[in-house]
Amino acid sequence: MEESFSKGVGKEGQVVTGSIIQREGDEFVVDVGLKSEGRLSIREFFDAEGNLPVGIGDSVDVFVERCEDQNGLAVLSREKAKREEAWQALEAAFNDQQTVEGRIMGKVKGGYTVDIGGLAAFLPGSQVDVRPVHDISRLQDETQPFDILKMDRRRGNIVVSRRTVVEKQREDARKALLETLHEGMILDGVVKNITDYGAFVDLGGLDGLLHITDMSWKRVKHPSAVVNVGDTVSVQVIKFNSDTQRISLGMKQLMTDPWEGIGAKYPAGTKFRGTVTNITDYGSFVELEPGVEGLAHVSELTWTKKNIHPSKILEVGQEVDVMVLDVDADRRRISLGLKQCQENPWEAFATQHPVGSMVAGEIKNITEFGLFVGLEGDIDGLVHLSDVTWDANAGEEVLKEYQKGQEVEAVVLSLDPDKERISLGIKQASPDEWSQWADANAKGTIVKGSIKEVQSSGVLVELGEGVEGHIRKAEFSQDDRDGSHLTVGAEVEARITGVDRQKRKISLSIKALEVQQERDAIKEYGSEGAAADGPMAGALGQALSQALENAKSNNAE
């Protein structure tokens, strides 16, 4: 009896091994070697899956709370035994710096509760991962490894960290990755951070930069349009510097390059439909297919609107028809044109208005060298200064007779659709009175006119509308060598001695007229062969003198 009683001494507050000897209803009767057996609810033996792993005859560990109660039965606890076992296991792991398995149960102030072998531990929010975790649900679905940071059995306090475990795993993975990493290697990584110029991808201990230009073959405005933080992506190592451990990654390199065989797909001279993706000062980028863009230079957007910003013509997202002008596969450049898909107004004008036809238009601009006249098709033609008036001496003063917005008629002089040039003439729209007058009055003709201006070198004679002749002093009358009778407004008769059509100048001579009159008088009244001192000399001289006097009188009149 003394030996039996001595077995129970010192068992209170300890975990002992007992044996299930009987089942009574929902309870097991357990013999732990005391004066009496203890009873435990069967529910204390169910596992996490709801199974009962023990039965009559099995040995179980239980916690002895008291050797006997008021009924003389031993007070036992399976749960406390489990807790005691768990504490001992955790203390051993803590002392040996070993990881333990647990499951995140729920959120509490400042962190989360973790079930580790039946014990509740505290996981601070900063110790969940190496980077902030906003959604913990994915971690609650499976058992996680933890390091024990702190234990206080008396207070029942346990603090654990998952972050330290992840850091160890990352360091191991980093070392392993560095040993095998090489350019061209394909890896899976998690997007860690996004910037304006790209995204940083966690490859498992090492971060690599996925630049925005290597995300896709097509234009990417911002990395967030392709990837999001937390996304798992497949990338290829483009460049790796083992000294600095900098890694450049690419996603588009794992896709088919749309520029392969680009020349055959988009030959020059063919038309396609594309979408405007970007507008700059120098032109507009048009996407022909995902990853393939071409530039429509500002000079190729429209036939008529020059020096205008592309945004005044196009907008991002607009679908347009374009023509391929040139393809440079090596430099990945395609030159496009919008205006080539529209009717060329210069060619249309040339077809409808050939050289020599009459057109009308409004003066758009006046420059020192001529007038720009607006024509149908929103194009301009130039009336050069020399084609404004038939008056060669008018100069730039003639331009003062015209104003912007004035309607004028002109003749098409020349057409060059390729250079987008049209030459017009206003003077050609009316007859050339000077040429008509010159055609009717050849050299040697005797003409009449009024003196318009007395100059130091001679006099200027108005012969008709827009027609003037000049008499040099040397060509004045032999009887009026100083030109005293040649005043402004006086009528004069002279002979044409020269016509310069290029300079539009007419030379006149009174002296030449008098010489001609003398010759005509000689022919009429005498013979050149008659003797000067013959019987007829006196009569001839008298008659000639009378004829000259009559001619001079007529001129004076």
Side-chain angles (χ1 to χ4, degrees):
M1 183 179 296
E2 288 177 358
E3 182 181 355
S4 175
F5 283 134
S6 64
K7 292 181 181 179
V9 177
K11 287 187 177 181
E12 286 189 3
Q14 294 184 9
V15 176
V16 298
T17 300
S19 176
I20 300 175
I21 61 175
Q22 188 177 353
R23 176 173 179 173
E24 294 182 356
D26 293 333
E27 293 180 328
F28 279 139
V29 178
V30 181
D31 180 12
V32 292
L34 297 175
K35 289 191 300 181
S36 60
E37 296 81 12
R39 291 177 178 272
L40 290 171
S41 173
I42 294 177
R43 289 178 295 178
E44 293 192 52
F45 293 91
F46 283 112
D47 58 19
E49 286 74 25
N51 300 318
L52 184 62
V54 296
I56 297 174
D58 292 335
S59 295
V60 294
D61 291 333
V62 294
F63 181 83
V64 180
E65 296 189 41
R66 292 200 306 273
C67 289
E68 59 179 319
D69 61 5
Q70 60 184 2
N71 296 321
L73 298 176
V75 180
L76 308 176
S77 172
R78 173 60 181 164
E79 290 297 326
K80 289 185 178 181
K82 289 180 181 179
R83 288 178 59 83
E84 186 67 21
E85 291 174 354
W87 271 103
Q88 292 176 357
L90 289 180
E91 285 176 343
F94 179 63
N95 293 330
D96 296 339
Q97 296 183 347
Q98 295 179 349
T99 61
V100 294
E101 299 291 327
R103 184 187 293 269
I104 298 175
M105 303 302 295
K107 186 174 178 64
V108 294
K109 184 179 180 180
Y112 304 89
T113 57
V114 180
D115 179 10
I116 300 178
L119 297 178
F122 176 65
L123 173 64
S126 61
Q127 297 297 319
V128 177
D129 206 334
V130 292
R131 55 181 177 271
V133 178
H134 302 289
D135 185 8
I136 202 72
S137 60
R138 64 183 180 85
L139 299 178
Q140 291 180 292
D141 297 334
E142 56 186 17
T143 301
Q144 303 287 331
F146 297 92
D147 278 339
I148 302 174
L149 301 181
K150 182 180 178 182
M151 289 188 69
D152 188 340
R153 186 166 183 173
R154 185 174 60 85
R155 295 182 178 181
N157 186 19
I158 304 172
V159 180
V160 297
S161 172
R162 180 178 174 274
R163 176 176 179 170
T164 57
V165 178
V166 174
E167 288 176 344
K168 292 176 185 177
Q169 293 174 345
R170 285 173 59 85
E171 182 61 24
D172 294 339
R174 177 177 172 276
K175 292 179 180 178
L177 183 59
L178 283 173
E179 294 176 356
T180 59
L181 192 66
H182 60 272
E183 295 182 4
M185 188 176 183
I186 299 175
L187 300 168
D188 287 336
V190 179
V191 178
K192 181 178 179 180
N193 187 28
I194 294 177
T195 67
D196 291 337
Y197 54 85
F200 287 94
V201 179
D202 182 0
L203 302 175
L206 285 175
D207 291 345
L209 173 61
L210 174 61
H211 198 269
I212 186 172
T213 57
D214 291 309
M215 289 184 170
S216 175
W217 289 109
K218 67 178 182 179
R219 183 185 296 272
V220 179
K221 291 184 176 180
H222 193 272
S224 59
V226 181
V227 295
N228 297 308
V229 173
D231 287 352
T232 299
V233 293
S234 293
V235 291
Q236 185 178 54
V237 178
I238 301 174
K239 190 179 296 184
F240 171 55
N241 188 324
S242 57
D243 296 331
T244 61
Q245 295 185 4
R246 290 186 178 180
I247 306 172
S248 296
L249 306 174
M251 287 175 60
K252 72 179 184 181
Q253 287 76 8
L254 301 178
M255 310 172 190
T256 303
D257 186 356
W259 284 85
E260 291 182 2
I262 198 71
K265 288 194 292 185
Y266 299 99
T270 53
K271 296 181 181 180
F272 296 92
R273 192 161 185 81
T275 303
V276 178
T277 58
N278 191 27
I279 295 176
T280 67
D281 293 338
Y282 52 85
S284 172
F285 287 92
V286 179
E287 184 181 63
L288 301 177
E289 65 175 80
V292 178
E293 288 183 345
L295 172 64
H297 193 266
V298 63
S299 62
E300 304 296 342
L301 296 181
T302 175
W303 289 108
T304 57
K305 296 177 181 178
K306 306 297 182 182
N307 300 321
I308 186 172
H309 196 275
S311 60
K312 301 294 183 180
I313 304 173
L314 301 171
E315 59 184 20
V316 175
Q318 179 180 351
E319 291 189 354
V320 292
D321 291 323
V322 292
M323 176 180 286
V324 178
L325 304 180
D326 182 59
V327 177
D328 189 341
D330 295 334
R331 301 173 67 186
R332 292 177 176 266
R333 292 182 178 179
I334 299 179
S335 297
L336 304 174
L338 268 75
K339 68 181 185 181
Q340 288 78 4
C341 296
Q342 306 164 3
E343 183 183 30
N344 186 340
W346 302 91
E347 293 180 352
F349 183 89
T351 301
Q352 299 175 11
H353 304 282
V355 173
S357 58
M358 183 78 72
V359 294
E362 185 179 288
I363 296 177
K364 298 293 185 181
N365 193 21
I366 301 176
T367 67
E368 60 183 9
F369 54 84
L371 310 172
F372 284 95
V373 179
L375 304 172
E376 59 186 70
D378 201 21
I379 60 178
D380 293 342
L382 172 64
V383 181
H384 193 269
L385 179 63
S386 60
D387 293 311
V388 175
T389 178
W390 290 110
D391 186 359
N393 299 319
E396 296 181 13
E397 292 296 320
V398 71
L399 298 178
K400 296 181 179 179
E401 301 177 6
Y402 297 90
Q403 297 177 349
K404 285 185 179 181
Q406 180 180 345
E407 190 81 13
V408 294
E409 290 185 345
V411 175
V412 178
L413 303 181
S414 65
L415 296 164
D416 192 341
D418 294 335
K419 294 183 179 180
E420 299 182 356
R421 292 178 181 176
I422 298 175
S423 295
L424 304 175
I426 292 179
K427 70 180 185 181
Q428 287 82 357
S430 59
D432 183 2
E433 296 180 354
W434 192 97
S435 296
Q436 291 180 347
W437 190 93
D439 292 340
N441 299 275
K443 181 179 179 181
T445 305
I446 298 173
V447 295
K448 292 182 179 181
S450 62
I451 296 177
K452 181 178 181 181
E453 181 181 352
V454 177
Q455 302 172 340
S456 60
S457 60
V459 295
L460 198 62
V461 180
E462 184 176 1
L463 301 174
E465 185 68 27
V467 183
E468 295 177 350
H470 184 261
I471 304 176
R472 294 186 300 114
K473 283 186 174 182
E475 302 299 328
F476 287 174
S477 173
Q478 294 180 0
D479 297 335
D480 188 16
R481 293 184 182 278
D482 58 356
S484 58
H485 295 88
L486 300 177
T487 58
V488 175
E491 296 292 326
V492 64
E493 185 177 35
R495 184 182 182 189
I496 299 176
T497 57
V499 177
D500 189 338
R501 290 182 177 272
Q502 184 175 358
K503 296 181 179 180
R504 300 175 74 87
K505 291 184 177 181
I506 299 174
S507 299
L508 303 175
S509 175
I510 298 176
K511 183 170 68 174
L513 173 60
E514 292 176 344
V515 171
Q516 182 180 345
Q517 289 175 341
E518 289 179 0
R519 290 176 181 173
D520 292 342
I522 291 173
K523 288 180 181 180
E524 181 178 355
Y525 296 103
S527 172
E528 292 182 3
D533 54 353
M536 293 293 294
L540 179 59
Q542 186 178 1
L544 182 57
S545 298
Q546 186 62 44
L548 293 174
E549 288 296 331
N550 294 337
K552 290 180 180 179
S553 299
N554 292 334
N555 289 341
E557 294 175 0

